[in-house]
Amino acid sequence: MFFFLGLFGCWFFGVQSFNLVPKLIKSFIVALLGPALFHTIGHISACVSFSKVAVSFTHVIKSAEPVFSVVFSSALGDSYPLSVWLSILPIVMGCSLAAVTEVSFNLGGLWGAMISNVGFVLRNIYSKKSLQNFKQVNGLNLCGWITILSFVYLFPVAVFVEGSQWVAGYHKAIATVGTPSTFYLWVMISGVFYHLYNQSSYQALDDISPLTFSVGNTMKRVVVIVSSVIVFRNPVRPLNALGSAIAILGTFLYSQASSKKKAAVEKKD
């Protein structure tokens, strides 16, 4: 919600170009229905995982997203060089080791992170297939539209599933943080930073090389995991830390292998 509110603000003030041809809006929205649905599934399941296990563990499992990407894309006809397939082995090994040694391990949290991976991979695949005729829409605007449709999907489900718990949950949250003003402040801060994270990520892709971006993206996951351990004081066993490191290294190797594959394809074209 905060993301597309922020994007609306960027559109309104001209910070971000609203580069969508009006006559294509109806067909564009139809093309977005599938990607937005998988985007919604990905975010919901990630939040479920965060609520059941340590934040660091969820991010370790989410580092396995390339594995799902390779498997699903291959099933749909794409081919990958041996280097890509080899790069996903340390991801699988690292995630497995981290899961076995995770202190806060919970099956629901594990499945939530895994389903989140599937949701985001299918979002990416179907975005590529269904939005080929809308290349005039840049990445940031595309993410904004997907988020808006995700809100449309999620709101009635949220009302039906948790609507009766909203008031009690609100009061419980206020009691946890202390005062209503503190609660609203944290919600606003988290929303603003989430929007800035998404916007900076999409804008960075236009200004830096894929290699630099993949290095930064890998370091982002390291920072998130380490920061969550420090802030939440989650106990981490040596083997758990080793598994996390192996999984993150595998993610980095996958980024390099897949970027070389993309460069080779573009050169061929």
Side-chain angles (χ1 to χ4, degrees), residues 123-139:
R123 176 199 63 184
N124 297 339
I125 292 175
Y126 281 99
S127 292
K128 182 178 179 180
K129 290 184 177 297
S130 61
L131 296 168
Q132 292 180 347
N133 297 326
F134 304 96
K135 295 182 179 180
Q136 77 276 17
V137 182
N138 64 21

Side-chain angles (χ1 to χ4, degrees), residues 45 48-50 52-53 57 105-115:
S45 53
V48 170
S49 180
F50 285 135
K52 294 183 177 295
V53 294
F57 178 64
F105 180 83
N106 176 283
L107 196 58
L110 174 64
W111 276 108
M114 297 284 276
I115 294 173

Side-chain angles (χ1 to χ4, degrees), residues 12 57 70 80 122 129 180 184 202 205 224 235 237 249 261:
F12 181 78
F57 178 64
V70 171
Y80 290 89
L122 291 178
K129 290 184 177 297
Y184 292 127
Y202 280 99
L205 281 171
V224 170
R237 297 171 179 171
L249 174 62
K261 173 182 179 293

